[in-house]
Amino acid sequence: MTEREWVDSIAERLMDRSSEIAESLVVKTGYKLPYGHEIRRIGEGEAQGETSGMSFETDLSILEQNTDGTLIPRVIVEAKLKSINTHDVITYSHKAAAHKAVFPFLRYGVMMGNRRTYPLPGRLYRHGANFDFMVSFVKHEPSGEEFRRFVQLLVEEVEASKVTEKIIYDSRKKGRDHFTVLHRKLVMS
């Protein structure tokens, strides 16, 4: 099984259970998500004129679809089978930072498959500073319990994206939620 086939199989399982995550979510593989927008020329003191956008292809994307058909990227999951080298981790972490610069509420993670009994590699912790989560499956196809936990993780990440978006963009609205504590909890299992 190729990595692309594996990601497609995970995406199909997620689509079957998407109502557990949220009704308005769309699961896509190979989705090209913008990581930058360059303004190459400006008009009279304003950002108008020639622009160009740049995108990276992502392995697995969870997007919220609005009633007008527009999409809000909520969670990106990069994927690797069996092992991941330091270069891959650094590259994925850089992609995460670039995407988060455009979508500051985006949640980003890595999933690994066919890991047998190996734990998450230390290089993920050391070089994956921009990952919000990491998950490892024993075989290609996650067991029922592994997949249940993965779906629950995605539910939590979608909610974290929505809360982060509110914190960033509603900070000056009257009647907004007021937060006095933010704690990014570390959960290991």
Side-chain angles (χ1 to χ4, degrees), residues 1-14 16 81 111-116 136-148 150:
M1 177 180 282
T2 67
E3 195 170 275
R4 182 54 162 238
E5 291 169 334
W6 175 60
V7 172
D8 286 342
S9 72
I10 298 290
E12 285 178 32
R13 285 181 74 181
L14 285 173
D16 290 342
L81 283 173
M111 72 175 175
M112 299 184 67
N114 202 25
R115 293 281 300 156
R116 298 184 290 264
S136 177
F137 304 126
V138 174
K139 297 179 181 176
H140 281 99
E141 291 300 318
S143 69
E145 178 59 18
E146 285 177 322
F147 198 71
R148 185 196 65 72
F150 184 54

Side-chain angles (χ1 to χ4, degrees), residues 62-168:
I62 312 290
L63 306 127
E64 182 179 6
Q65 187 162 15
N66 292 315
T67 54
D68 64 1
T70 58
L71 299 170
I72 300 172
R74 292 292 176 198
V75 180
I76 300 297
V77 185
E78 297 295 351
K80 286 305 273 184
L81 283 173
K82 294 184 183 175
S83 64
I84 190 166
N85 62 42
T86 301
H87 179 265
D88 291 333
V89 176
I90 292 169
T91 299
Y92 287 156
S93 187
H94 173 75
K95 281 176 68 175
H99 281 135
K100 287 179 174 190
V102 175
F103 304 100
F105 49 83
L106 182 65
R107 305 296 289 183
Y108 220 98
V110 173
M111 72 175 175
M112 299 184 67
N114 202 25
R115 293 281 300 156
R116 298 184 290 264
T117 57
Y118 296 112
L120 290 167
R123 64 183 58 90
L124 275 175
Y125 304 107
R126 181 175 299 279
H127 302 293
N130 295 299
F131 300 143
D132 298 302
F133 62 92
M134 304 166 194
V135 64
S136 177
F137 304 126
V138 174
K139 297 179 181 176
H140 281 99
E141 291 300 318
S143 69
E145 178 59 18
E146 285 177 322
F147 198 71
R148 185 196 65 72
R149 287 176 28 198
F150 184 54
V151 169
Q152 182 58 41
L153 171 70
L154 293 176
V155 167
E156 292 170 10
E157 291 299 319
V158 166
E159 186 57 30
S161 171
K162 290 177 179 182
V163 169
T164 303
E165 182 180 30
K166 280 181 70 173
I167 291 169
I168 293 169

Side-chain angles (χ1 to χ4, degrees), residues 104-105 159-173 176-184:
F105 49 83
E159 186 57 30
S161 171
K162 290 177 179 182
V163 169
T164 303
E165 182 180 30
K166 280 181 70 173
I167 291 169
I168 293 169
Y169 297 112
D170 291 353
S171 67
R172 295 180 183 239
K173 287 185 178 177
R176 71 188 181 275
D177 291 335
H178 292 259
F179 299 100
T180 57
V181 174
L182 172 66
H183 175 214
R184 294 183 180 177

Side-chain angles (χ1 to χ4, degrees), residues 27-44:
V27 178
K28 293 185 178 272
T29 59
Y31 186 74
K32 291 185 178 179
L33 185 66
Y35 68 88
H37 192 84
E38 294 178 349
I39 301 169
R40 299 181 61 197
R41 292 180 182 76
I42 59 171
E44 288 295 317

Side-chain angles (χ1 to χ4, degrees), residues 45-56:
E46 292 184 26
Q48 61 186 8
E50 189 175 332
T51 65
S52 61
M54 301 155 291
S55 299
F56 285 133

